[in-house]
Amino acid sequence: TIVAALVVGIAGGAVLSGGPGFVNCSERPESFETSGGDFTLPEATVHLELNCGDLEVGMTEGTGWEAVTGVTENPLELESAAGSLDIRSDSGGFPFGRDGQDWTLSLGADVTYDLSANLNSSDNTLDLAGGTFTRLAIDPNTGSLNMDLSGSEVQDLRVQLNAGSLSLVTDGGTDLSGQINVNAG
């Protein structure tokens, strides 16, 4: 039992230490789909789950959202309602031999968000300047996270970084409280 646990632990450590280049997500989408809608409630829950790829999130005027996502062999799941948006990449084959995803998401700045994201082996740029968030929970694993919170209000920031890098920009207009945990980053 001890030997089996050590083998699994060493293998897991090797995967994490390999970083983003270890995971094969080299096939990129050649075509894209656009989805969109409006949040009709003043608060919305947004959950993103990306396995392998690039994510860009930005703020726009109004209450609408728009997602531009790559079309690949492994389709994503997108569900939306008056106060929620959930986008998930198919986890089939992750971390070996899966297609990379490219997502661009725009969120209307007139809505207060509870935004969470599980981001595995991805490069992520979250330009959330001027946004309002009751909670912002981001879990990047073996990737990069560049986040701009200039002029934003974030009541509860939670970042759990594992084997990656984080860049966080704030300014005098940022109202922020929370916690950042880093493991091998």
Side-chain angles (χ1 to χ4, degrees):
T1 303
I2 292 172
V3 171
L6 286 172
V7 168
V8 170
I10 291 169
V15 168
L16 290 177
S17 68
F22 176 77
V23 178
N24 180 14
C25 56
S26 58
E27 294 293 323
R28 304 310 272 196
E30 294 181 12
S31 61
F32 295 86
E33 291 181 345
T34 301
S35 304
D38 281 310
F39 294 117
T40 56
L41 300 176
E43 296 186 8
T45 300
V46 175
H47 178 73
L48 308 173
E49 192 163 319
L50 175 61
N51 292 316
C52 204
D54 294 331
L55 169 66
E56 290 185 27
V57 179
M59 304 300 292
T60 61
E61 293 182 14
T63 60
W65 64 269
E66 180 179 87
V68 179
T69 55
V71 177
T72 65
E73 218 174 89
N74 301 308
L76 60 83
E77 298 174 25
L78 189 149
E79 296 178 10
S80 67
S84 67
L85 175 62
D86 191 349
I87 306 175
R88 299 171 188 264
S89 61
D90 180 2
S91 61
F94 183 76
F96 306 104
R98 67 172 285 105
D99 294 335
Q101 293 280 324
D102 289 328
W103 297 358
T104 302
L105 176 63
S106 299
L107 298 172
D110 293 344
V111 177
T112 300
Y113 294 99
D114 177 336
L115 189 147
S116 62
N118 297 323
L119 308 168
N120 296 303
S121 190
S122 59
D123 292 320
N124 311 285
T125 302
L126 280 61
D127 184 353
L128 304 176
T132 305
F133 303 88
T134 55
R135 183 177 71 110
L136 187 54
I138 312 294
D139 294 328
N141 184 32
T142 65
S144 65
L145 174 59
N146 299 304
M147 192 163 33
D148 185 352
L149 296 176
S150 302
S152 294
E153 179 184 337
V154 182
Q155 295 174 15
D156 185 21
L157 173 69
R158 300 284 174 202
V159 176
Q160 179 64 50
L161 179 68
N162 188 30
S165 65
L166 170 65
S167 170
L168 178 62
V169 176
T170 63
D171 66 8
T174 303
D175 184 5
L176 171 68
S177 86
Q179 181 175 348
I180 298 173
N181 296 312
V182 178
N183 181 27

